[in-house]
PDB file of all heavy atoms in Angstrom:
ATOM      1  N   LEU R1109       3.676  19.269 -17.487  1.00 42.00           N
ATOM      2  CA  LEU R1109       2.790  19.192 -18.656  1.00 42.00           C
ATOM      3  C   LEU R1109       1.598  20.061 -18.470  1.00 42.00           C
ATOM      4  O   LEU R1109       1.129  20.698 -19.421  1.00 42.00           O
ATOM      5  CB  LEU R1109       2.378  17.747 -18.863  1.00 42.00           C
ATOM      6  CG  LEU R1109       3.538  16.763 -19.205  1.00 42.00           C
ATOM      7  CD1 LEU R1109       2.993  15.329 -19.284  1.00 42.00           C
ATOM      8  CD2 LEU R1109       4.193  17.175 -20.494  1.00 42.00           C
ATOM      9  N   GLY R1223      34.412  47.642 -75.849  1.00 96.00           N
ATOM     10  CA  GLY R1223      33.704  47.710 -77.120  1.00 96.00           C
ATOM     11  C   GLY R1223      33.871  49.014 -77.859  1.00 96.00           C
ATOM     12  O   GLY R1223      34.056  49.058 -79.062  1.00 96.00           O
ATOM     13  N   LEU R1226      37.437  49.226 -79.445  1.00 97.00           N
ATOM     14  CA  LEU R1226      37.501  48.479 -80.704  1.00 97.00           C
ATOM     15  C   LEU R1226      36.764  49.199 -81.811  1.00 97.00           C
ATOM     16  O   LEU R1226      37.239  49.232 -82.972  1.00 97.00           O
ATOM     17  CB  LEU R1226      36.920  47.084 -80.470  1.00 97.00           C
ATOM     18  CG  LEU R1226      37.734  46.129 -79.580  1.00 97.00           C
ATOM     19  CD1 LEU R1226      36.964  44.860 -79.342  1.00 97.00           C
ATOM     20  CD2 LEU R1226      39.097  45.838 -80.225  1.00 97.00           C
ATOM     21  N   LEU R1263      57.237  38.435 -73.007  1.00 97.00           N
ATOM     22  CA  LEU R1263      56.835  37.803 -71.740  1.00 97.00           C
ATOM     23  C   LEU R1263      55.732  38.578 -71.091  1.00 97.00           C
ATOM     24  O   LEU R1263      54.741  37.999 -70.618  1.00 97.00           O
ATOM     25  CB  LEU R1263      58.060  37.722 -70.810  1.00 97.00           C
ATOM     26  CG  LEU R1263      57.789  37.104 -69.448  1.00 97.00           C
ATOM     27  CD1 LEU R1263      57.446  35.636 -69.569  1.00 97.00           C
ATOM     28  CD2 LEU R1263      59.016  37.263 -68.519  1.00 97.00           C
ATOM     29  N   ILE R1286      27.441  30.593 -69.726  1.00 89.00           N
ATOM     30  CA  ILE R1286      26.365  29.708 -69.264  1.00 89.00           C
ATOM     31  C   ILE R1286      25.225  29.631 -70.328  1.00 89.00           C
ATOM     32  O   ILE R1286      24.784  28.553 -70.671  1.00 89.00           O
ATOM     33  CB  ILE R1286      25.828  30.106 -67.911  1.00 89.00           C
ATOM     34  CG1 ILE R1286      26.913  29.800 -66.840  1.00 89.00           C
ATOM     35  CG2 ILE R1286      24.550  29.389 -67.565  1.00 89.00           C
ATOM     36  CD1 ILE R1286      26.515  30.133 -65.443  1.00 89.00           C
ATOM     37  N   ASN R1330      60.725  64.711 -72.510  1.00 93.00           N
ATOM     38  CA  ASN R1330      61.568  65.853 -72.850  1.00 93.00           C
ATOM     39  C   ASN R1330      60.837  66.786 -73.781  1.00 93.00           C
ATOM     40  O   ASN R1330      59.668  66.537 -74.189  1.00 93.00           O
ATOM     41  CB  ASN R1330      62.901  65.351 -73.477  1.00 93.00           C
ATOM     42  CG  ASN R1330      62.651  64.440 -74.629  1.00 93.00           C
ATOM     43  OD1 ASN R1330      61.946  64.819 -75.578  1.00 93.00           O
ATOM     44  ND2 ASN R1330      63.272  63.247 -74.571  1.00 93.00           N
ATOM     45  N   GLY R1340      50.217  65.536 -83.355  1.00 91.00           N
ATOM     46  CA  GLY R1340      49.563  64.261 -83.208  1.00 91.00           C
ATOM     47  C   GLY R1340      50.418  63.066 -83.636  1.00 91.00           C
ATOM     48  O   GLY R1340      49.871  62.012 -84.028  1.00 91.00           O
ATOM     49  N   GLU R1385      47.904  38.001 -45.634  1.00 86.00           N
ATOM     50  CA  GLU R1385      49.252  38.461 -45.445  1.00 86.00           C
ATOM     51  C   GLU R1385      49.566  39.829 -46.047  1.00 86.00           C
ATOM     52  O   GLU R1385      50.355  40.571 -45.534  1.00 86.00           O
ATOM     53  CB  GLU R1385      50.238  37.431 -46.068  1.00 86.00           C
ATOM     54  CG  GLU R1385      50.274  36.105 -45.403  1.00 86.00           C
ATOM     55  CD  GLU R1385      49.164  35.201 -45.797  1.00 86.00           C
ATOM     56  OE1 GLU R1385      48.434  35.562 -46.747  1.00 86.00           O
ATOM     57  OE2 GLU R1385      48.960  34.122 -45.148  1.00 86.00           O
ATOM     58  N   ALA R1431      42.407  46.772 -64.729  1.00 96.00           N
ATOM     59  CA  ALA R1431      42.610  45.861 -65.856  1.00 96.00           C
ATOM     60  C   ALA R1431      41.844  46.293 -67.055  1.00 96.00           C
ATOM     61  O   ALA R1431      42.329  46.213 -68.191  1.00 96.00           O
ATOM     62  CB  ALA R1431      42.258  44.436 -65.443  1.00 96.00           C
ATOM     63  N   ARG R1467      63.990  56.391 -89.949  1.00 94.00           N
ATOM     64  CA  ARG R1467      64.211  57.829 -90.272  1.00 94.00           C
ATOM     65  C   ARG R1467      62.916  58.639 -90.105  1.00 94.00           C
ATOM     66  O   ARG R1467      62.909  59.781 -89.621  1.00 94.00           O
ATOM     67  CB  ARG R1467      64.784  57.976 -91.681  1.00 94.00           C
ATOM     68  CG  ARG R1467      65.033  59.429 -92.099  1.00 94.00           C
ATOM     69  CD  ARG R1467      65.775  59.480 -93.414  1.00 94.00           C
ATOM     70  NE  ARG R1467      67.123  58.915 -93.332  1.00 94.00           N
ATOM     71  CZ  ARG R1467      67.473  57.729 -93.861  1.00 94.00           C
ATOM     72  NH1 ARG R1467      66.597  57.015 -94.532  1.00 94.00           N
ATOM     73  NH2 ARG R1467      68.721  57.277 -93.738  1.00 94.00           N
TER      74      ARG R1467
END
Side-chain angles (χ1 to χ4, degrees):
L1109 296 176
L1226 290 174
L1263 179 66
I1286 290 180
N1330 54 53
E1385 293 80 10
R1467 181 173 293 107

